[in-house]
Amino acid sequence: MSRAVSLCAAGEIPVGGARRFVVEGHEPVAIFNLGGTLYATADKCSHQRASLSEGEVDGDEVICPLHFQVFHIPTGEAREGITRAPIATYAVCVDHGQIVVELP
Amino acid sequence: MSDTITSVLSDAAEGVIDRRIFWDREIYELELERIFARTWIFLAHESQLPVSGSFVTTNIGSDNVIVVRGRDDVIRAFLNSCPHRGNRICHAETGRTRGGFVCNYHGWSFGLDGQLQGMHETDAYKAEPSFDFGEHGLVPVAQLDTYKGLVFGCLDPDAPGLGDYLGDFCWYLDVLLDNQDCGTEFIGGCIRSVIDCNWKIPAENFAGDALHAGWTHDSGARAMLDAPVPEWWGKESYQVNVNGHCWEFNLDLVGNASTFGDKRLNRWIRSREAEVEARLGRIRSRMLGAFSSVTVFPNMSFLPGQQSFRVWQPLGPNRVELKTWVLVNRALPDEIKEVYRKGAMMTFSPSGVFEMDDGENWEYSTRANEGVVTRRQKLHYGLGRDSRLDHPELPGNVYRNQVNDANQRAFYQRWAHLMAAETWAEVPKS
């Protein structure tokens, strides 16, 4: 059963920004703010240990800082690079001013 | 060896050249140090690097480099070798990388700015107190600058800037690069071939060898155009040079362009003459597609009117890799761009009629120097020793008559000055 986890105040991640969250009992989560819309994905690259929230965001894609693997943020699809393994994506919303992510 | 170089210096002024400079490996090795690792070398056209992550790899003498446009739109260049174990970082000739370059050997990865991002087992390095990621990026090319779309790099931090290096030759380069507001671009890809000749032989040919055109290319011209290459002696024509950069030309507007045998091209160039005259003046407007050839010292050459643009990359004392592109004004109609693209393939490409003519001569001009006695015989570069003139408009060292050895003497004087000099401070301006 999924659980809703509150991460931070919505204003803390500006447009174009990204941030990593450590959640107990779960892999770290990355929140991206693409043009005012929030997206949540796994923060760890599906290839090797690297934090995607530290990568460059280019349009609706993030480029892993370690080996430059490109992921589509809304779907988690692995697009260009070394691996075809996608990253997990999670439902995210703003509830009472807080960013809330639905984790499995 | 220093005797050879000293003698070239005095010989070039006298109009003779020592053949050893086309054959001896010692001299070639010194050229890599004192010419290629010290002068400004053409690396890329900006149109090859349209967006962030666009890159090309190329050579500065014996050093392979990556030229890449960063996220901040700045073009940078780095030695194409991993600072960890030395492996080549980028094996592609051109392309786009989204984030940077990853070494095949141990996964050392470098961003578009050359900074070290990480490697396989990054945590092992992060646990190393003395390891500073900021100190182990790709080694940058010491200087990088552009002139109107052309990207040049220089491996010597103490070399004069590109503006000083090109000097008054920019006045001439604008005939190619600034005859219209739109700027220029490369169209099509890079045509690559290898010729077994010393790199200076084609470079000096483009610097000033109008003489060969009517003879070497006579049969090709007759086959392509049903007519010989015209003789130009006695008509208004020039050789000019600045700092060893050389342009030989007449003022016939379309002489080079005519070799494609396509009337649309000649009509197009004639249609632009008045506009270019308003922009650059009469003389330069008449140079637009004229019978002419150019070398920017040491190894970048082009043919106005045919728009064939090339570099002669040395692969040893008697081998060059020739890279050719077609450079045109961006705003050129597609139909005319296509005329240039096809024309380049028909004339100056591995299957081109004129390239075949030249390549054969250049290979034998190099190989003959294998003979130990032959090599001791000096070559004649004495034509036009009394042709120097002061011209009211043309900057640089100006000589009347494009059938002349003046530019080639200037090319070798510049070569000898650089070869003899320990530092740039010792290199005279010419």
Side-chain angles (χ1 to χ4, degrees), chain A residues 41 46 60-62 69-80 83-89:
Chain A
T41 71
S46 61
D60 61 359
E61 296 173 332
V62 61
Q69 175 73 39
V70 178
F71 294 99
H72 184 227
I73 293 167
T75 62
E77 180 192 1
R79 286 190 163 170
E80 297 170 37
T83 183
R84 290 187 174 184
I87 50 171
T89 59

Side-chain angles (χ1 to χ4, degrees), chain B residues 184-233:
Chain B
T184 62
E185 64 181 357
F186 281 174
I187 54 170
C190 175
I191 307 166
R192 295 171 63 173
S193 58
V194 170
I195 306 175
D196 287 334
C197 69
N198 183 272
W199 67 271
K200 296 185 291 301
I201 290 177
E204 63 140 72
N205 175 282
F206 277 65
D209 200 328
L211 180 62
H212 87 292
W215 183 260
T216 290
H217 299 308
D218 182 64
S219 59
R222 287 176 197 271
M224 299 262 292
L225 309 168
D226 278 336
V229 177
E231 292 185 21
W232 283 102
W233 173 253

Side-chain angles (χ1 to χ4, degrees), chain A residues 48-56 63-69, chain B residues 71 78 82-83 89 97-103 106-123 125-126 131-138:
Chain A
Q48 284 190 354
R49 189 159 61 218
S51 172
L52 294 176
S53 58
E54 292 173 20
E56 292 282 340
I63 305 167
C64 176
L66 190 49
H67 300 119
F68 317 121
Q69 175 73 39
Chain B
R71 275 182 228 294
F78 306 98
C82 186
I89 293 284
T97 172
R98 292 294 295 277
F101 303 93
V102 183
C103 180
H106 304 93
W108 280 43
S109 66
F110 306 90
L112 300 178
D113 57 0
Q115 290 297 303
L116 178 61
Q117 301 287 112
M119 62 284 284
H120 188 56
E121 303 274 21
T122 301
D123 290 347
Y125 284 85
K126 285 186 173 165
F131 188 83
D132 180 350
F133 276 67
E135 288 179 358
H136 299 282
L138 295 176

